[in-house]
Amino acid sequence: METVFDQQCAVHIGEGCLRAADEIPIRRQGRTCVLVCERHAAPLILPPLMENCPRLSKLPLYYLDASEPGKQIETLLPLWHEWARDGLDRHTSVILVGGGVLCDMGGFAASVYKRGIPFYAIPTTLLAMADASVGGKTAVDLGEIKNILGNFHRSEAVWIDPVFLKTLPRNEFLSGAAEILKMQFIGNPGLSFAELEKCLDPGTFPLSLLHFAIAEKARITGIDFYEENIRKTLNFGHTFGHAFEALALKQNRPIAHGQAVAHGMVCELYLSCLLAGCPKHLFVQTARLINRHYGIFRYGKEDIPELLGYMLNDKKNRNGQIFPVLLQDAGKSLYTESVGTDPLLQTLNTYPFNTDLD
Ligand code: GLY
């Protein structure tokens, strides 16, 4: 087991590390703990959890309907009602067990209940392991606007055990893999496309890339928890990605967050070639890789104003200006340059890109 730190939050990673989560102080100095588990994935999640953590299996268990379309504040109301009914007080800690939506929503639920109670995270999807469970961002959507309600509430500790990946559906695997790719693009000047290719196949998935993503995320959020500078780089692929996700949700064809980020990264690499001197081969190789594994995100010309509208509503904007993350090269990101609407429209009008021309 390897442990990295996001300030005082210990992030434990490795096969078998789940057993150590059973040591969470569940009853100490008047403190108690409860579990919150994702409802639809509970049959897959609970058996390995209970087998590895027999003490936790005795805790009160709450379920949350944590799905992408249900990532709304209304979904949290029954949970808060249950907590209040059962007398959870400010000394109660919550243990979140589930994927990225569960971590975002459960963290938000804990962050405002009685003005904030502590929580631990046991992520069970690749997306939650590589991104959502580390760094203390909590969120729910407002209608289709992604993650616009939320705050920063760091967890007490995180246990990331690949045991849960054995039963992960393929689309969820690919969704998480996109965040791992993202970390390679922003954090690894020597990234290898052969490794990225392996990362997109559960049979050859290199755990070393998951470790890298988690360690980088913990390092970055340890330096800049409130996203005033370097943490912004973690939004690579998300300006377009969130717009794609929002459009898909609005059109009743929701796509997984990481799938949207994968398409968003291709668009932001195209933009990086236009505006930041990114080498064309990085864009072309990435576009081919993403097209092969994720296909393309379909939208019509008539959807472009709406996509731009979502970008104009992005949380990262300042004074109405959009700040996508651009790459000068692998491992070299820019996050301080605002981008006008013309290059964004050019990108949206050109997508899906012709990658034969290199
Ligand atoms: N998912 C990006 C961040 O945590 O900052």
Side-chain angles (χ1 to χ4, degrees):
M1 177 169 87
E2 180 192 347
T3 300
V4 294
F5 285 88
D6 164 14
Q7 299 264 336
Q8 70 273 35
C9 167
V11 183
H12 309 286
I13 320 158
E15 311 228 14
C17 82
L18 185 57
R19 283 194 288 279
D22 211 28
E23 320 269 297
I24 292 176
I26 52 177
R27 273 185 200 87
R28 189 195 287 170
Q29 296 171 344
R31 286 193 173 272
T32 53
C33 266
V34 300
L35 286 168
V36 175
C37 178
E38 187 173 319
R39 190 186 302 276
H40 79 277
L44 297 177
I45 293 172
L46 290 178
L49 180 77
M50 298 316 181
E51 191 185 323
N52 285 280
C53 302
R55 280 172 74 242
L56 301 191
S57 66
K58 300 190 182 72
L59 296 177
L61 174 61
Y62 297 85
Y63 291 101
L64 185 63
D65 292 313
S67 67
E68 210 51 80
K71 196 179 177 185
Q72 302 289 330
I73 200 134
E74 294 85 344
T75 311
L76 288 175
L77 294 176
L79 183 69
W80 282 318
H81 277 294
E82 287 170 39
W83 286 358
R85 178 200 65 200
D86 296 346
L88 268 63
D89 65 24
R90 295 174 82 172
H91 304 285
T92 308
S93 306
V94 175
I95 305 170
L96 302 176
V97 193
V101 178
L102 186 281
C103 289
D104 283 4
M105 294 181 77
F108 183 68
S111 75
V112 295
Y113 182 78
K114 303 211 170 168
R115 300 211 172 84
I117 58 175
F119 75 100
Y120 300 88
I122 301 179
T124 60
T125 64
L126 196 52
L127 184 86
M129 292 177 186
D131 189 45
S133 64
V134 180
K137 269 190 185 174
T138 81
V140 290
D141 302 342
L142 182 65
E144 65 275 0
I145 306 175
K146 300 304 301 169
N147 298 341
I148 200 165
L149 305 176
N151 55 22
F152 291 94
H153 189 54
R154 200 180 244 120
S155 60
E156 303 293 300
V158 184
W159 289 267
I160 297 176
D161 192 324
V163 67
F164 293 107
L165 300 181
K166 289 181 191 149
T167 52
L168 196 64
R170 180 159 173 80
N171 67 328
E172 294 219 26
F173 170 82
L174 279 178
S175 179
E179 291 284 358
I180 297 177
L181 259 48
K182 176 195 83 179
M183 210 52 113
Q184 288 290 308
F185 286 118
I186 61 176
N188 185 2
L191 72 77
S192 136
F193 273 89
E195 283 287 291
L196 301 190
E197 191 79 55
K198 284 194 212 156
C199 188
L200 293 170
D201 179 344
T204 54
F205 177 69
L207 276 178
S208 57
L209 262 55
L210 175 62
H211 281 244
F212 178 85
I214 296 163
E216 268 298 280
K217 173 125 197 212
R219 183 184 72 78
I220 290 170
T221 56
I223 298 170
D224 178 26
F225 186 57
Y226 292 107
E227 199 169 303
E228 278 153 24
N229 41 71
I230 188 180
R231 185 171 184 162
K232 293 181 182 176
T233 60
L234 299 178
N235 294 317
F236 175 58
H238 284 64
T239 299
F240 282 77
H242 274 156
F244 292 157
E245 211 178 341
L247 183 76
L249 203 52
K250 175 91 176 295
Q251 297 179 340
N252 284 323
R253 48 169 183 130
I255 56 169
H257 173 70
Q259 305 256 356
V261 170
H263 302 305
M265 288 191 292
V266 174
C267 291
E268 290 173 31
L269 279 171
Y270 178 84
L271 199 59
S272 300
C273 294
L274 287 181
L275 303 175
C278 178
K280 194 162 172 219
H281 70 86
L282 186 61
F283 156 69
V284 170
Q285 276 184 284
T286 306
R288 286 180 183 160
L289 181 81
I290 299 296
N291 288 357
R292 256 198 324 280
H293 291 272
Y294 296 84
I296 56 167
F297 179 69
R298 295 194 184 278
Y299 58 87
K301 293 282 179 226
E302 67 285 3
D303 295 320
I304 290 179
E306 190 166 349
L307 287 168
L308 190 65
Y310 290 127
M311 290 188 210
L312 288 165
N313 216 345
D314 195 282
K315 293 186 295 305
K316 303 181 293 300
N317 297 353
R318 255 183 293 135
N319 302 327
Q321 291 185 300
I322 302 177
F323 290 80
V325 177
L326 301 177
L327 293 194
Q328 290 180 300
D329 206 338
K332 266 194 186 172
S333 40
L334 294 175
Y335 52 85
T336 54
E337 305 295 317
S338 70
V339 170
T341 50
D342 284 353
L344 300 173
L345 283 172
Q346 179 178 341
T347 307
L348 288 171
N349 276 308
T350 314
Y351 182 88
F353 309 104
N354 181 354
T355 56
D356 296 336
L357 311 169
D358 58 333

